[in-house]
Amino acid sequence: MIQEIIELAQGLDSKSPSFQSDCFSRLKTLNIDLSLEEFNSELAHWLTTSSLPTQLNVYNNFGQPPVTLFHNESFVIDLYFWLYSDTSIHTHSFTGAFKVLYGQSQQDIYQIIEKKKYTNDISLNDINIIDSKILIKGECQEITRGDQFCHRVLHLDSPTITLCIRTINDKHIPQRHQFENGLSILKVELEETIYKQIFFYEYLLSQSQKMAKTFLNGIIEKSSPSLIMNLFEAVLSGSLGLADESIEVFHHTIIKKFQKEEWFTYYLEACEA
Ligand SMILES: [Fe+2]
């Protein structure tokens, strides 16, 4: 079965204008007749006996876990195991399609209209649900780049397993993280530099709180608000493994920096909801 999924990539061209619909039709024709237990067991065998392709996400919690089955530097075939519901409303920087292999999900599609722009990467939007349906086992959905396709996929079963064919390295159209109260913050991939900076901040904190705070404020000043807010979420989620004190000082610094900004009030409101 895994081999059959990997073979979906044959002849697919991510530069083709029909890539999105090609992904959709290939996923549509894929027929998985294994029980969940058989599927899990086949993947367990593949993970321990194959040479894995480069993984698109190693630590990322988009999927618990995400597993890249195929990677050719221009698109990937990814499996996502969902144990928890993903509640984020978002647009996509990439294109492709996904299929529900096991379980089911509720998909809400939103129309978003910009109401106020705070910065290049943070805005307030009017958002309205324009379509809502249950994606049962076997259903496929095309993924269109940009603001014209904004969705939330609530995974109703645990696990729900989805299979996605999608482009990578898409730099031109940013992905939007849309909050229900209208606030929108662009998604920024955290790269090596910012990780090293934040880990060095933690080291400095063990030496001198004053130096650490100065260093941290320097990072914030030089970075876009969206980068800082994406970092803020990663730090607070615990996924960077920072010590409690480092998280607390970081948290306090961000609050102090942005508390007078209207968009930050919306952010705090969204977090409390
Ligand atoms: Fe999505």
Side-chain angles (χ1 to χ4, degrees), residues 32-264:
I32 294 188
D33 53 7
L34 300 178
S35 68
L36 175 61
E37 199 178 349
E38 288 167 335
F39 184 82
N40 288 341
S41 154
E42 198 174 310
L43 190 68
H45 179 74
W46 183 81
L47 281 169
T48 47
T49 56
S50 308
S51 172
L52 266 59
T54 303
Q55 295 297 296
L56 185 60
N57 297 303
V58 178
Y59 299 110
N60 189 310
N61 59 2
F62 187 81
Q64 300 95 32
V67 178
T68 300
L69 301 177
F70 174 85
H71 188 308
N72 71 352
E73 306 300 328
S74 85
F75 71 90
V76 295
I77 302 181
D78 261 12
L79 263 179
Y80 302 114
F81 294 80
W82 301 102
L83 292 175
Y84 320 108
S85 205
D86 175 21
T87 55
S88 77
I89 304 170
H90 55 274
T91 62
H92 307 78
S93 57
F94 56 87
T95 182
F98 72 91
K99 176 173 188 149
V100 178
L101 299 188
Y102 295 92
Q104 56 182 335
S105 310
Q106 177 183 322
Q107 175 175 249
D108 299 325
I109 298 180
Y110 293 81
Q111 178 191 51
I112 52 176
I113 300 165
E114 191 174 282
K115 204 158 70 171
K116 185 172 185 177
K117 202 175 182 79
Y118 294 109
T119 63
N120 283 337
D121 47 5
I122 298 180
S123 61
L124 190 65
N125 299 330
D126 272 329
I127 66 165
N128 299 296
I129 295 184
I130 51 171
D131 189 33
S132 184
K133 70 170 180 174
I134 305 292
L135 301 176
I136 58 168
K137 183 178 187 308
E139 289 236 35
C140 299
Q141 170 68 53
E142 289 190 25
I143 301 167
T144 306
R145 272 194 192 100
D147 283 355
Q148 64 270 47
F149 179 64
C150 179
H151 75 164
R152 165 163 58 186
V153 185
L154 295 164
H155 305 295
L156 302 176
D157 289 343
S158 177
T160 293
I161 303 178
T162 55
L163 179 67
C164 182
I165 310 180
R166 51 153 290 187
T167 54
I168 56 171
N169 303 321
D170 304 83
K171 305 276 184 205
H172 303 299
I173 298 178
Q175 188 157 331
R176 191 187 283 280
H177 183 183
Q178 178 65 58
F179 295 89
E180 251 175 306
N181 65 359
L183 181 69
S184 164
I185 299 181
L186 294 192
K187 186 167 165 52
V188 180
E189 291 298 332
L190 301 176
E191 292 180 346
E192 284 181 358
T193 303
I194 195 76
Y195 282 125
K196 286 298 151 184
Q197 288 170 341
I198 207 70
F199 292 136
F200 191 69
Y201 144 76
E202 178 163 60
Y203 160 74
L204 281 180
L205 199 56
S206 72
Q207 304 299 302
S208 150
Q209 190 165 105
K210 191 176 169 206
M211 267 183 87
K213 283 184 172 175
T214 305
F215 182 69
L216 186 56
N217 277 311
I219 296 170
I220 295 168
E221 285 304 324
K222 286 197 178 84
S223 307
S224 64
S226 57
L227 174 60
I228 294 304
M229 293 312 292
N230 278 265
L231 179 64
F232 186 63
E233 296 208 329
V235 167
L236 262 61
S237 74
S239 63
L240 303 190
L242 297 186
D244 288 349
E245 191 199 357
S246 315
I247 297 175
E248 204 179 303
V249 172
F250 183 85
H251 184 252
H252 185 255
T253 306
I254 296 295
I255 301 272
K256 202 171 155 194
K257 167 76 184 165
F258 294 126
Q259 63 187 348
K260 293 200 173 81
E261 303 286 346
E262 186 181 275
W263 64 262
F264 195 70

